[in-house]
Amino acid sequence: MSVSGLKKQFNKASQLMNEKVLKASHTEVDESFRDLEKKTDGTIEVVKQLSDRVVSLLQPNPASRVKIAYRARMDRAKGVTGTHGYPHAEVTLSDIALKGSTELEETNFGMALNDFSTAMRDIADLKENMDVTVNQNFVDPLNQFLSKDVKEIMHHRKKMESRRLDFDGKRRKKDKGGNIPEQDIIVAEEKFEDSKELAETGMQELLEGDAEQISQLHALVEAMHDMHQQSAEILSQLRDSLLEKAADSQSRPRTVREPRAPRRSLQTMDISSPVKLSDRDFGSDNGSRTPNGSLPAGDIATPVAASRHSSAGSGGGLKQPHCKALYDFEAENAGELTFDEGDIIMLTGRIDENWLEGECNKKSGYFPQNYVEVVVDL
């Protein structure tokens, strides 16, 4: 910078200091110009905030936005043209449901998960398309407006303020008896008026050209409307499909689990015919077998009698109400009675046609009737 340039900058700084500290007089712009400045500043601020907030609306996670932007820069540096979509929440839901439908295939819930996964993927695609449309028709035009039109207007306003300080500084020095040629003051005033005219014209054109901003806002709303309308149609179809599957699932007959058959006891064995036994059943051969290798009926009377005696000791001779467990029963809820197959249960009451109440192994509770054989009823 030349000496004259440095001197001019010093004079402008001195004028600004006098205005701020000493409240020195300075050139005032008219009220209409101030009104233009206020409206222009308001428009610029709204446009900046809209641009930032719409980006946050389309891509809520800032970390994901940074990652996508970084990958895009790396692709441009490598000369690769790739697209990195934003990971919408619907994509995650779709992947989870798809995995579940694969694991639960051929079930109603699995088919419902598959429908849900497809719907979420379709909605994610709609959001991705909306992102592209909004960026092209709203965000990018707003950024261009800020980087070009607004930048030019702010340049003229800044230059106008600089020339005003130069003009007021020279005029103040002239008033104080400084050696300032009158022609310099006239030139400085003309430059100030020229910059003021350019700034005023730019702000006026910006405010009168708001139809462009309205069109861009309309493009944003239209893109959002289309996305939400198509999403509503997808969700409506999904809702109807899930209602049909739920009704079909409820109407299907339930699988009845048959209890396992009881083991045969000595009481139920047919002893009318001789029973063939090997040496290992009764120790070494004591010569009591018949010629065909079987024992006479008299020889097996003792074990049968012992079995009957054991049965009587287990409740067979009881006159009190009782039953015998046919299967194992494990209590799953509070108040139920646990017992093993073959246990004798003393009956103390009947809850309904399917459930009994009794005592066994020093514990009491209720249990299903189809797990026992009632020997002496209540």
Side-chain angles (χ1 to χ4, degrees), residues 92-329:
T92 304
L93 287 175
S94 176
D95 292 341
I96 294 173
L98 182 60
K99 181 179 179 181
S101 67
T102 303
E103 296 175 352
L104 301 173
E105 59 181 352
E106 298 182 0
T107 66
N108 277 357
F109 186 44
M111 290 186 287
L113 285 174
N114 186 67
D115 291 349
F116 179 79
S117 173
T118 302
M120 291 299 103
R121 178 65 65 173
D122 291 342
I123 292 176
D125 291 341
L126 290 176
K127 282 191 172 184
E128 190 66 30
N129 293 334
M130 184 186 73
D131 289 357
V132 175
T133 301
V134 171
N135 276 304
Q136 289 178 350
N137 300 331
F138 183 77
V139 177
D140 290 346
L142 287 188
N143 290 336
Q144 185 177 6
F145 167 75
L146 292 172
S147 62
K148 185 178 179 182
D149 299 344
V150 172
K151 186 177 181 181
E152 184 176 355
I153 291 172
M154 298 308 292
H155 168 73
H156 290 311
R157 286 172 58 176
K158 184 178 179 180
K159 194 169 185 180
M160 181 199 76
E161 180 64 13
S162 175
R163 288 180 170 178
R164 183 197 66 78
L165 289 172
D166 182 54
F167 167 62
D168 287 342
K170 289 179 177 180
R171 189 174 60 176
R172 182 175 59 86
K173 282 190 175 183
K174 179 69 174 177
D175 294 341
K176 288 184 177 182
N179 186 20
I180 303 296
E182 187 67 28
Q183 186 63 29
D184 289 353
I185 297 177
I186 295 173
V187 172
E189 184 178 12
E190 290 177 350
K191 288 183 177 180
F192 163 68
E193 291 295 338
D194 289 343
S195 295
K196 179 175 176 292
E197 182 68 22
L198 290 172
E200 189 172 12
T201 302
M203 290 188 293
Q204 190 71 39
E205 291 177 352
L206 183 145
L207 296 175
E208 291 178 353
D210 56 358
E212 186 176 355
Q213 281 78 52
I214 297 174
S215 298
Q216 292 159 1
L217 196 62
H218 173 266
L220 168 65
V221 174
E222 186 175 26
M224 294 176 65
H225 172 268
D226 292 344
M227 189 277 294
H228 287 295
Q229 185 178 48
Q230 295 178 46
S231 296
E233 293 175 359
I234 293 172
L235 291 175
S236 179
Q237 295 174 4
L238 175 63
R239 178 195 58 192
D240 296 341
S241 174
L242 292 179
L243 285 175
E244 291 178 2
K245 285 180 171 57
D248 180 64
S249 179
Q250 291 176 355
S251 64
R252 285 188 177 184
R254 303 295 179 184
T255 302
V256 179
R257 182 181 177 185
E258 297 291 340
R260 62 187 179 88
R263 293 195 296 265
R264 293 182 62 190
S265 64
L266 288 176
Q267 288 179 318
T268 61
M269 291 178 63
D270 183 10
I271 59 174
S272 60
S273 60
V275 181
K276 293 185 178 182
L277 300 174
S278 62
D279 292 344
R280 56 188 176 87
D281 294 324
F282 284 91
S284 60
D285 190 1
N286 54 10
S288 61
R289 289 191 181 87
T290 61
N292 62 357
S294 62
L295 291 176
D299 290 339
I300 65 171
T302 300
V304 172
S307 174
R308 288 175 180 171
H309 175 74
S310 173
S311 175
S314 301
L318 294 176
K319 296 183 180 181
Q320 295 91 340
H322 68 280
C323 60
K324 183 178 180 181
L326 298 177
Y327 320 106
D328 296 342
F329 179 72

Side-chain angles (χ1 to χ4, degrees), residues 292-360:
N292 62 357
S294 62
L295 291 176
D299 290 339
I300 65 171
T302 300
V304 172
S307 174
R308 288 175 180 171
H309 175 74
S310 173
S311 175
S314 301
L318 294 176
K319 296 183 180 181
Q320 295 91 340
H322 68 280
C323 60
K324 183 178 180 181
L326 298 177
Y327 320 106
D328 296 342
F329 179 72
E330 184 71 25
E332 296 181 354
N333 301 298
E336 294 181 349
L337 178 65
T338 298
F339 53 78
D340 297 327
E341 178 185 349
D343 284 350
I344 299 299
I345 306 168
M346 306 305 296
L347 297 175
T348 59
R350 177 182 293 277
I351 297 176
D352 55 29
E353 60 181 4
N354 296 319
W355 289 84
L356 297 170
E357 188 174 11
E359 297 179 355
C360 180

